[in-house]
Amino acid sequence: MQTSKTNNLQKMVIRLYQNLPKEVLIHESFTAKYACMLFKKLSEMYAYPKDTAQISLEGIRLGALFHDAGKIQVPREILCKTDILTEKERSLIHCHALYGGDIAGSLLKESQRKYHLTVWNMAQYHHERWDGTGYPNGLKGEEIPLSARICSVADSYDAMMGRRQYNKKEFSMEYACGEIKTYAGSQFDPVLAELFLQCLKEKTKLNPVRMG
């Protein structure tokens, strides 16, 4: 009986997730692409070897795909709003991270349960900041799980590169890279920020964007 209720609840959550605005789902797919790119680079460079050994590329992919799953708790009219958000509306948007871990975890298939911790961490903590001023828990530095720090960089980069309902500006690649550089050490893990910029340089032949 309990299993049946659990399955029904999971199906309901999946339907709610699939009904998110298409821009949210597209953003998640691009975030997954960038997060996987960064994780591969991180593995190649042997940065954070102990933490990297505890996560996998598939876990990163799933976590990035579902990192905004908590937005099923946010009213659709707010997610689809084209005007600037009010402070109250922004606070409701922020709540998606508070519930994100549990919601994202519930989207996993049985065969994907081994990635639960990575997925949970990415959905729960991708808005934490390296300097400790993020949300929902104000974690700082390496207190933030590595997977979430990866997601933070990937999520922020795609948010700048793609047009969002409540952000009418669409920035150039050079501008987005400059922002990643500028906020390395405050918003972003500086090691991951540098590696991410290296990845973009290698893939696009962009002029070098050095850290510091």
Side-chain angles (χ1 to χ4, degrees), residues 147-168:
S147 58
R149 289 169 6 230
I150 290 172
C151 191
S152 174
V153 176
D155 174 47
S156 297
Y157 179 77
D158 186 65
M160 287 184 282
M161 293 297 291
R163 191 178 295 275
R164 313 291 285 276
Q165 289 93 341
Y166 47 84
N167 179 13
K168 296 181 180 181

PDB file of all heavy atoms in Angstrom, residues 147-168:
ATOM      1  N   SER A 147      29.574  19.159  -6.170  1.00  0.00           N
ATOM      2  CA  SER A 147      28.591  19.072  -7.256  1.00  0.00           C
ATOM      3  C   SER A 147      27.761  20.344  -7.355  1.00  0.00           C
ATOM      4  O   SER A 147      27.436  20.822  -8.448  1.00  0.00           O
ATOM      5  CB  SER A 147      27.683  17.857  -7.053  1.00  0.00           C
ATOM      6  OG  SER A 147      27.026  17.922  -5.801  1.00  0.00           O
ATOM      7  N   ALA A 148      27.416  20.929  -6.211  1.00  0.00           N
ATOM      8  CA  ALA A 148      26.620  22.164  -6.192  1.00  0.00           C
ATOM      9  C   ALA A 148      27.442  23.351  -6.679  1.00  0.00           C
ATOM     10  O   ALA A 148      26.918  24.260  -7.336  1.00  0.00           O
ATOM     11  CB  ALA A 148      26.078  22.433  -4.790  1.00  0.00           C
ATOM     12  N   ARG A 149      28.740  23.347  -6.360  1.00  0.00           N
ATOM     13  CA  ARG A 149      29.611  24.435  -6.833  1.00  0.00           C
ATOM     14  C   ARG A 149      29.774  24.372  -8.345  1.00  0.00           C
ATOM     15  O   ARG A 149      29.825  25.406  -9.019  1.00  0.00           O
ATOM     16  CB  ARG A 149      30.969  24.339  -6.140  1.00  0.00           C
ATOM     17  CG  ARG A 149      30.852  24.709  -4.695  1.00  0.00           C
ATOM     18  CD  ARG A 149      31.998  24.452  -3.773  1.00  0.00           C
ATOM     19  NE  ARG A 149      33.249  23.989  -4.218  1.00  0.00           N
ATOM     20  CZ  ARG A 149      33.886  22.943  -3.664  1.00  0.00           C
ATOM     21  NH1 ARG A 149      33.305  22.230  -2.690  1.00  0.00           N
ATOM     22  NH2 ARG A 149      35.085  22.596  -4.075  1.00  0.00           N
ATOM     23  N   ILE A 150      29.821  23.165  -8.885  1.00  0.00           N
ATOM     24  CA  ILE A 150      29.861  22.989 -10.338  1.00  0.00           C
ATOM     25  C   ILE A 150      28.574  23.520 -10.954  1.00  0.00           C
ATOM     26  O   ILE A 150      28.579  24.260 -11.938  1.00  0.00           O
ATOM     27  CB  ILE A 150      30.051  21.498 -10.695  1.00  0.00           C
ATOM     28  CG1 ILE A 150      31.459  21.044 -10.313  1.00  0.00           C
ATOM     29  CG2 ILE A 150      29.785  21.245 -12.177  1.00  0.00           C
ATOM     30  CD1 ILE A 150      31.677  19.537 -10.440  1.00  0.00           C
ATOM     31  N   CYS A 151      27.448  23.151 -10.355  1.00  0.00           N
ATOM     32  CA  CYS A 151      26.146  23.567 -10.865  1.00  0.00           C
ATOM     33  C   CYS A 151      25.998  25.080 -10.815  1.00  0.00           C
ATOM     34  O   CYS A 151      25.410  25.688 -11.723  1.00  0.00           O
ATOM     35  CB  CYS A 151      25.035  22.900 -10.064  1.00  0.00           C
ATOM     36  SG  CYS A 151      23.391  23.082 -10.781  1.00  0.00           S
ATOM     37  N   SER A 152      26.530  25.709  -9.790  1.00  0.00           N
ATOM     38  CA  SER A 152      26.432  27.150  -9.643  1.00  0.00           C
ATOM     39  C   SER A 152      27.052  27.879 -10.831  1.00  0.00           C
ATOM     40  O   SER A 152      26.465  28.821 -11.379  1.00  0.00           O
ATOM     41  CB  SER A 152      27.121  27.589  -8.347  1.00  0.00           C
ATOM     42  OG  SER A 152      27.158  28.996  -8.243  1.00  0.00           O
ATOM     43  N   VAL A 153      28.236  27.436 -11.241  1.00  0.00           N
ATOM     44  CA  VAL A 153      28.918  28.066 -12.372  1.00  0.00           C
ATOM     45  C   VAL A 153      28.132  27.835 -13.663  1.00  0.00           C
ATOM     46  O   VAL A 153      27.859  28.768 -14.428  1.00  0.00           O
ATOM     47  CB  VAL A 153      30.355  27.519 -12.522  1.00  0.00           C
ATOM     48  CG1 VAL A 153      31.026  28.110 -13.760  1.00  0.00           C
ATOM     49  CG2 VAL A 153      31.179  27.825 -11.282  1.00  0.00           C
ATOM     50  N   ALA A 154      27.755  26.583 -13.890  1.00  0.00           N
ATOM     51  CA  ALA A 154      27.033  26.231 -15.119  1.00  0.00           C
ATOM     52  C   ALA A 154      25.680  26.931 -15.196  1.00  0.00           C
ATOM     53  O   ALA A 154      25.288  27.457 -16.247  1.00  0.00           O
ATOM     54  CB  ALA A 154      26.853  24.712 -15.188  1.00  0.00           C
ATOM     55  N   ASP A 155      24.977  26.945 -14.092  1.00  0.00           N
ATOM     56  CA  ASP A 155      23.650  27.571 -14.016  1.00  0.00           C
ATOM     57  C   ASP A 155      23.740  29.068 -14.293  1.00  0.00           C
ATOM     58  O   ASP A 155      22.964  29.624 -15.080  1.00  0.00           O
ATOM     59  CB  ASP A 155      23.064  27.304 -12.630  1.00  0.00           C
ATOM     60  CG  ASP A 155      21.749  28.036 -12.380  1.00  0.00           C
ATOM     61  OD1 ASP A 155      20.869  27.985 -13.257  1.00  0.00           O
ATOM     62  OD2 ASP A 155      21.605  28.638 -11.307  1.00  0.00           O
ATOM     63  N   SER A 156      24.696  29.728 -13.667  1.00  0.00           N
ATOM     64  CA  SER A 156      24.835  31.170 -13.820  1.00  0.00           C
ATOM     65  C   SER A 156      25.238  31.545 -15.243  1.00  0.00           C
ATOM     66  O   SER A 156      24.727  32.520 -15.807  1.00  0.00           O
ATOM     67  CB  SER A 156      25.867  31.715 -12.823  1.00  0.00           C
ATOM     68  OG  SER A 156      25.429  31.509 -11.496  1.00  0.00           O
ATOM     69  N   TYR A 157      26.145  30.780 -15.815  1.00  0.00           N
ATOM     70  CA  TYR A 157      26.578  31.069 -17.185  1.00  0.00           C
ATOM     71  C   TYR A 157      25.411  30.946 -18.156  1.00  0.00           C
ATOM     72  O   TYR A 157      25.175  31.842 -18.984  1.00  0.00           O
ATOM     73  CB  TYR A 157      27.708  30.125 -17.589  1.00  0.00           C
ATOM     74  CG  TYR A 157      28.186  30.357 -19.006  1.00  0.00           C
ATOM     75  CD1 TYR A 157      29.012  31.444 -19.309  1.00  0.00           C
ATOM     76  CD2 TYR A 157      27.803  29.509 -20.039  1.00  0.00           C
ATOM     77  CE1 TYR A 157      29.443  31.674 -20.603  1.00  0.00           C
ATOM     78  CE2 TYR A 157      28.233  29.733 -21.345  1.00  0.00           C
ATOM     79  CZ  TYR A 157      29.050  30.812 -21.621  1.00  0.00           C
ATOM     80  OH  TYR A 157      29.469  31.046 -22.910  1.00  0.00           O
ATOM     81  N   ASP A 158      24.639  29.873 -18.048  1.00  0.00           N
ATOM     82  CA  ASP A 158      23.525  29.716 -18.984  1.00  0.00           C
ATOM     83  C   ASP A 158      22.431  30.745 -18.732  1.00  0.00           C
ATOM     84  O   ASP A 158      21.764  31.175 -19.672  1.00  0.00           O
ATOM     85  CB  ASP A 158      22.937  28.308 -18.911  1.00  0.00           C
ATOM     86  CG  ASP A 158      21.881  28.112 -19.990  1.00  0.00           C
ATOM     87  OD1 ASP A 158      22.255  28.143 -21.188  1.00  0.00           O
ATOM     88  OD2 ASP A 158      20.696  27.988 -19.654  1.00  0.00           O
ATOM     89  N   ALA A 159      22.257  31.139 -17.466  1.00  0.00           N
ATOM     90  CA  ALA A 159      21.252  32.159 -17.164  1.00  0.00           C
ATOM     91  C   ALA A 159      21.592  33.473 -17.860  1.00  0.00           C
ATOM     92  O   ALA A 159      20.702  34.209 -18.295  1.00  0.00           O
ATOM     93  CB  ALA A 159      21.155  32.375 -15.658  1.00  0.00           C
ATOM     94  N   MET A 160      22.887  33.771 -17.984  1.00  0.00           N
ATOM     95  CA  MET A 160      23.291  34.990 -18.679  1.00  0.00           C
ATOM     96  C   MET A 160      23.194  34.834 -20.194  1.00  0.00           C
ATOM     97  O   MET A 160      22.858  35.781 -20.908  1.00  0.00           O
ATOM     98  CB  MET A 160      24.721  35.378 -18.277  1.00  0.00           C
ATOM     99  CG  MET A 160      24.830  35.937 -16.875  1.00  0.00           C
ATOM    100  SD  MET A 160      26.500  36.505 -16.464  1.00  0.00           S
ATOM    101  CE  MET A 160      27.331  34.938 -16.122  1.00  0.00           C
ATOM    102  N   MET A 161      23.464  33.640 -20.675  1.00  0.00           N
ATOM    103  CA  MET A 161      23.484  33.419 -22.123  1.00  0.00           C
ATOM    104  C   MET A 161      22.083  33.245 -22.711  1.00  0.00           C
ATOM    105  O   MET A 161      21.865  33.490 -23.898  1.00  0.00           O
ATOM    106  CB  MET A 161      24.321  32.183 -22.453  1.00  0.00           C
ATOM    107  CG  MET A 161      25.796  32.360 -22.162  1.00  0.00           C
ATOM    108  SD  MET A 161      26.560  33.666 -23.151  1.00  0.00           S
ATOM    109  CE  MET A 161      26.498  32.918 -24.779  1.00  0.00           C
ATOM    110  N   GLY A 162      21.123  32.817 -21.907  1.00  0.00           N
ATOM    111  CA  GLY A 162      19.781  32.569 -22.407  1.00  0.00           C
ATOM    112  C   GLY A 162      18.795  33.601 -21.909  1.00  0.00           C
ATOM    113  O   GLY A 162      18.930  34.146 -20.818  1.00  0.00           O
ATOM    114  N   ARG A 163      17.766  33.895 -22.701  1.00  0.00           N
ATOM    115  CA  ARG A 163      16.738  34.864 -22.312  1.00  0.00           C
ATOM    116  C   ARG A 163      15.752  34.209 -21.352  1.00  0.00           C
ATOM    117  O   ARG A 163      15.201  33.160 -21.652  1.00  0.00           O
ATOM    118  CB  ARG A 163      16.004  35.374 -23.564  1.00  0.00           C
ATOM    119  CG  ARG A 163      15.109  36.574 -23.289  1.00  0.00           C
ATOM    120  CD  ARG A 163      14.464  37.045 -24.589  1.00  0.00           C
ATOM    121  NE  ARG A 163      15.447  37.535 -25.527  1.00  0.00           N
ATOM    122  CZ  ARG A 163      15.912  38.789 -25.522  1.00  0.00           C
ATOM    123  NH1 ARG A 163      15.472  39.641 -24.627  1.00  0.00           N
ATOM    124  NH2 ARG A 163      16.792  39.171 -26.398  1.00  0.00           N
ATOM    125  N   ARG A 164      15.562  34.833 -20.182  1.00  0.00           N
ATOM    126  CA  ARG A 164      14.610  34.341 -19.195  1.00  0.00           C
ATOM    127  C   ARG A 164      13.420  35.282 -19.147  1.00  0.00           C
ATOM    128  O   ARG A 164      13.530  36.453 -19.475  1.00  0.00           O
ATOM    129  CB  ARG A 164      15.261  34.292 -17.798  1.00  0.00           C
ATOM    130  CG  ARG A 164      16.634  33.653 -17.765  1.00  0.00           C
ATOM    131  CD  ARG A 164      16.591  32.159 -18.033  1.00  0.00           C
ATOM    132  NE  ARG A 164      16.095  31.446 -16.873  1.00  0.00           N
ATOM    133  CZ  ARG A 164      16.877  31.091 -15.844  1.00  0.00           C
ATOM    134  NH1 ARG A 164      18.151  31.389 -15.840  1.00  0.00           N
ATOM    135  NH2 ARG A 164      16.361  30.436 -14.830  1.00  0.00           N
ATOM    136  N   GLN A 165      12.278  34.778 -18.677  1.00  0.00           N
ATOM    137  CA  GLN A 165      11.075  35.618 -18.643  1.00  0.00           C
ATOM    138  C   GLN A 165      11.304  36.903 -17.856  1.00  0.00           C
ATOM    139  O   GLN A 165      10.874  37.968 -18.249  1.00  0.00           O
ATOM    140  CB  GLN A 165       9.903  34.852 -18.009  1.00  0.00           C
ATOM    141  CG  GLN A 165       9.343  33.746 -18.865  1.00  0.00           C
ATOM    142  CD  GLN A 165       9.999  32.422 -18.538  1.00  0.00           C
ATOM    143  OE1 GLN A 165      11.074  32.367 -17.956  1.00  0.00           O
ATOM    144  NE2 GLN A 165       9.364  31.339 -18.930  1.00  0.00           N
ATOM    145  N   TYR A 166      11.967  36.783 -16.703  1.00  0.00           N
ATOM    146  CA  TYR A 166      12.131  37.946 -15.835  1.00  0.00           C
ATOM    147  C   TYR A 166      13.488  38.623 -16.035  1.00  0.00           C
ATOM    148  O   TYR A 166      13.882  39.475 -15.275  1.00  0.00           O
ATOM    149  CB  TYR A 166      11.969  37.537 -14.354  1.00  0.00           C
ATOM    150  CG  TYR A 166      12.736  36.298 -13.972  1.00  0.00           C
ATOM    151  CD1 TYR A 166      14.070  36.350 -13.627  1.00  0.00           C
ATOM    152  CD2 TYR A 166      12.097  35.054 -13.961  1.00  0.00           C
ATOM    153  CE1 TYR A 166      14.766  35.209 -13.274  1.00  0.00           C
ATOM    154  CE2 TYR A 166      12.783  33.914 -13.610  1.00  0.00           C
ATOM    155  CZ  TYR A 166      14.113  34.002 -13.265  1.00  0.00           C
ATOM    156  OH  TYR A 166      14.798  32.871 -12.931  1.00  0.00           O
ATOM    157  N   ASN A 167      14.217  38.218 -17.063  1.00  0.00           N
ATOM    158  CA  ASN A 167      15.481  38.869 -17.403  1.00  0.00           C
ATOM    159  C   ASN A 167      15.510  39.073 -18.909  1.00  0.00           C
ATOM    160  O   ASN A 167      15.844  38.167 -19.650  1.00  0.00           O
ATOM    161  CB  ASN A 167      16.669  38.003 -16.954  1.00  0.00           C
ATOM    162  CG  ASN A 167      18.006  38.640 -17.305  1.00  0.00           C
ATOM    163  OD1 ASN A 167      18.066  39.813 -17.653  1.00  0.00           O
ATOM    164  ND2 ASN A 167      19.069  37.868 -17.231  1.00  0.00           N
ATOM    165  N   LYS A 168      15.127  40.265 -19.347  1.00  0.00           N
ATOM    166  CA  LYS A 168      14.983  40.511 -20.773  1.00  0.00           C
ATOM    167  C   LYS A 168      16.320  40.675 -21.480  1.00  0.00           C
ATOM    168  O   LYS A 168      16.388  40.694 -22.696  1.00  0.00           O
ATOM    169  CB  LYS A 168      14.105  41.750 -21.001  1.00  0.00           C
ATOM    170  CG  LYS A 168      12.674  41.559 -20.504  1.00  0.00           C
ATOM    171  CD  LYS A 168      11.823  42.778 -20.767  1.00  0.00           C
ATOM    172  CE  LYS A 168      10.401  42.561 -20.272  1.00  0.00           C
ATOM    173  NZ  LYS A 168       9.548  43.741 -20.532  1.00  0.00           N
TER     174      LYS A 168
END
